[in-house]
Amino acid sequence: MNQLEQVKQFLETQPANHRVVEMILDEKKVWVKRKQPLENWRDYYKVIVTPGLKREIKALQLLNRQQLPVPKLIVYCDEFFASEDSGQALPRYLDENSLDLTQRERVFYQAGYALAQMHQQGFAHGRPALRDICWDEHKITFIDFEMHSGKPCSAWDQSIDLLIFLHGLYYSLEDGAPEANAAIQGYIDNQGYTRFTKLQKKVAHFAWVLPLLDKLKGIAGRDLRQATPALKLMLKNWS
Ligand SMILES: Nc1ncnc2c1ncn2[C@@H]1O[C@H](COP(=O)(O)OP(=O)(O)O)[C@@H](O)[C@H]1O
Ligand SMILES: [Mg+2]
C-alpha cells in the first residue's frame, strides 16, 4: 500500500474532530493535518478566517524548496497532508520545566537564528506563536503555515513576525528577558543586523502605545501586559 493510502486508512480510525494527529508511517513518526471538520459555528468561522489546508500545503512546498527550517512534506492530497516529525513544540519544554536557563537561551538563540534565515530569503511565517515552533534537541523547525501568504513578504510582515514571537516568549516566560535577548542575538548573528534595524524602524511606529499599555497594566490581562517587554526589546539599541 502506498503512503497516501496508509494515511487515508489511518485517518478513518481517528475521531473526526482530531484534526492534527501523529502516526507511524514506514517506521517514522509523522504528523497528519486534515481539513477542518465543520461541526459547529466555530469551525465555520475558522474556515472563513483562515486560508486553510491548500494554502498550507503550497506554503510548505515553497519553503521546502528554499530549504528553510520547515518540516518536509511527505504526502498530500486535497483532504490532508503528512509532514515529518519536528520534535516538540516549545511550550511543552517550558511547561515541563525540562530545560535550564542555559539550555533555554540556546533554544531561543536557535529560534531567532532560524527566523532570520526565513526572513533573509524574503519570507515571513505569518504568526510564529511558540506552539508553532518545534525543537528536536538539535534544530528549530517552524510549523503551521495556515496564515502564510504563500509568497515573499514585506518588512512589515517580518516585523510582525518578530513581535509575535517575542510576545509569545514573554507570555510563556514572564521573566523571559535572558531568553528574549538570546533570541534577538541569534537573529542578528544570522546576517540579520541590517534587517533587524530595518524592522526596528517599522516597530517604532507602535511605540506610542507604550504609555497606554503602562496605564493599563493594573487591569490588563497577561496577554496585553506582555506586549510591553516585547515592544521594548525590539526598540532597544542593539549596536
Ligand atoms: N511536523 C510536526 N512536528 C512536530 N509536531 C507537530 C508537527 N505538526 C503538528 N505538530 C503538533 O501539532 C500541533 C498542532 O499542529 P498545527 O499545524 O499547529 O495545527 P493548528 O492549526 O491546530 O494549530 C502543534 O502545535 C504541534 O504540537
Ligand atoms: Mg498551530
Side-chain angles (χ1 to χ4, degrees):
M1 200 185 334
N2 69 27
Q3 289 185 319
L4 198 74
E5 279 305 316
Q6 286 181 55
V7 178
K8 240 184 218 168
Q9 284 202 1
F10 176 78
L11 285 177
E12 279 162 18
T13 69
Q14 299 298 300
N17 59 350
H18 289 191
R19 201 167 66 94
V20 184
V21 287
E22 52 178 282
M23 70 173 282
I24 301 296
L25 184 64
D26 291 344
E27 294 174 11
K28 277 201 179 130
K29 182 162 144 184
V30 301
W31 289 81
V32 183
K33 187 168 185 177
R34 58 178 148 181
K35 258 190 181 159
Q36 178 71 39
L38 297 174
E39 291 180 331
N40 56 40
W41 67 268
R42 271 193 222 97
D43 297 339
Y44 282 94
Y45 174 72
K46 193 164 180 200
V47 167
I48 292 165
V49 298
T50 55
L53 198 80
K54 260 195 189 153
R55 182 122 159 207
E56 183 160 8
I57 294 170
K58 270 206 168 142
L60 279 176
Q61 287 173 318
L62 175 70
L63 301 171
N64 266 297
R65 275 200 300 277
Q66 309 287 327
Q67 300 190 333
L68 285 167
V70 303
K72 284 213 168 60
L73 196 55
I74 297 170
V75 283
Y76 64 92
C77 62
D78 285 350
E79 299 301 312
F80 61 79
F81 70 84
S83 65
E84 171 186 83
D85 176 45
S86 307
Q88 290 198 63
L90 293 187
R92 276 287 282 280
Y93 290 101
L94 303 180
D95 292 348
E96 288 166 2
N97 247 332
S98 56
L99 304 175
D100 64 24
L101 177 61
T102 312
Q103 291 167 320
R104 287 201 303 274
E105 284 175 319
R106 188 170 144 244
V107 171
F108 280 102
Y109 179 92
Q110 294 293 341
Y113 199 93
L115 191 61
Q117 190 188 347
M118 181 118 61
H119 288 182
Q120 214 175 321
Q121 293 190 38
F123 296 95
H125 179 280
R127 193 205 49 197
L130 293 198
R131 64 180 179 278
D132 296 327
I133 304 175
C134 295
W135 169 252
D136 69 356
E137 320 274 327
H138 301 286
K139 62 177 190 315
I140 288 287
T141 306
F142 293 96
I143 61 166
D144 196 353
F145 288 88
E146 277 176 82
M147 301 304 284
H148 192 268
S149 64
K151 49 182 194 277
C153 66
S154 68
W156 266 112
D157 299 325
Q158 296 182 339
S159 57
I160 300 291
D161 253 15
L162 259 179
L163 270 180
I164 291 177
F165 168 57
L166 291 174
H167 177 263
L169 191 164
Y170 278 116
Y171 185 82
S172 294
L173 296 164
E174 205 136 355
D175 302 316
E179 293 87 343
N181 277 286
I184 299 292
Q185 198 57 57
Y187 190 93
I188 289 174
D189 285 353
N190 194 0
Q191 302 171 53
Y193 184 71
T194 310
R195 168 159 306 98
F196 184 73
T197 51
K198 191 169 157 193
L199 302 192
Q200 274 187 317
K201 286 196 190 115
K202 298 281 174 202
V203 172
H205 287 99
F206 300 121
W208 64 270
V209 297
L210 281 168
L212 182 64
L213 288 173
D214 194 46
K215 290 257 179 299
L216 290 173
K217 92 179 160 220
I219 51 163
R222 181 151 151 180
D223 227 335
L224 201 58
R225 269 201 323 270
Q226 296 310 80
T228 300
L231 264 171
K232 281 191 173 160
L233 194 78
M234 277 293 294
L235 296 172
K236 204 176 105 176
N237 186 356
W238 283 87
S239 59

